[in-house]
Amino acid sequence: MARTIYNFAAGPAVLPDAVLEQAREEFRDCRGSGMSAMELPHRRPLFKKIAAEAEADLRDLLAVPDDYAVLFMQGGARLQASALAMNLAAHGRYAAYINTGHWSGGARGLADPYINVETAGDAAASHYRDIVPPAEWRFDEHTAYVHYVANETIGGVQYHETPECEGAVLVTDMTSELLWRPLDVSRFGLIYAGAQKNIGPAGMTIVIARRNLLGKPLPITPPVLDYRQQDEAGSLLNTPPTWSWYIAGLVFKWLKAQGGLAAMEKVNRRKAARLYDAIDASGFYTNNVAPRARSLMNVPFLLADSALEPVFLEEAEAAGLANLHGHQSVGGVRASIYNAMPEAGIASLVEFMGDFERRYG
Ligand SMILES: *Cc1c(COP(=O)(O)O)cnc(C)c1O
């Protein structure tokens, strides 16, 4: 038996054991075809069936309304941050961006060449340790859309409620949180999420968009980034990331087998509470995010004595707790605890933290 490793990486990140097992079993022979899922032509019936099942399961999990397109795209969240501006620019004079950290600022910059961007709210005063409450967002009727990042993966700052945004087209980057709990998709104009955090392997990005917003892309929009064209082609305008799509499909089936997103939410809340409780109960570890904005997906924390950080990370790695380093831009420790992180992984981390504190605190 291989030693159990708990992988706390922010992304690419841990996948469910059961999914990896199934992928291994089918690796050389996908559903009796004698071929690996990696080898299937994307326009032949077997891949089309796998793709359609994945889409149906995702629609089911999130109760996606029928008037929304669900796209399986390439390019990652960064490319979609540009593509969404190209697709939605015709709807207003400018786009309103809420800045709550690294990925919000990044998304604004990536849209900037294609639409006038304005900052409609900024968490700078909190040093990006808090959200900007929707009541403080400032934009008018000329905005094409309002963009926010639901979960700032690096800062560990998360919106716990979907913002009330009456009359505006709400756009969100859910790369590090989509599928952690049920969601009312109808509140959004567009949702995008890189797969490599809470969905599946790297290389795929999911875009969910209200169809009546599509079809007016900027003339410079490359066809593969035109959401209307991709919707009409079933995301098969170009070769899609077939392997990632297949694995994501297995993840969707696994989520359904766990009881769906309501069941996942319960487990995810328990996991995060256990870790934050351990941090708050100690004088040795601290998390500086405002309590109302603490992320249930990415939990960054600091040690009272920062000189002990490398020792902590090294000993954790040796104990099978992998990839706990914070993002290179901020350092510290960060535990990413997406859907596929089992509760036993949290228990193991909390036990290690207690033990480390007793020895070094
Ligand atoms: C990781 C991440 C990204 C970047 O994704 P790429 O696919 O590498 O472009 C964007 N937004 C958020 C919230 C992320 O966590």
Side-chain angles (χ1 to χ4, degrees), residues 75-79 103 149 151-153 173 175-176 194 196-197 205:
R78 282 183 184 81
L79 186 63
W103 295 114
V149 176
N151 182 59
E152 281 284 358
T153 319
D173 175 355
T175 295
S176 51
Q196 70 273 22
K197 282 156 187 164
T205 313

Side-chain angles (χ1 to χ4, degrees), residues 46 54 128 145:
L46 180 52
Y128 301 103
Y145 61 88

Side-chain angles (χ1 to χ4, degrees), residues 102-120:
H102 184 94
W103 295 114
S104 318
R108 181 186 189 276
L110 290 163
D112 181 52
Y114 312 106
I115 186 167
N116 295 316
V117 293
E118 299 283 348
T119 297

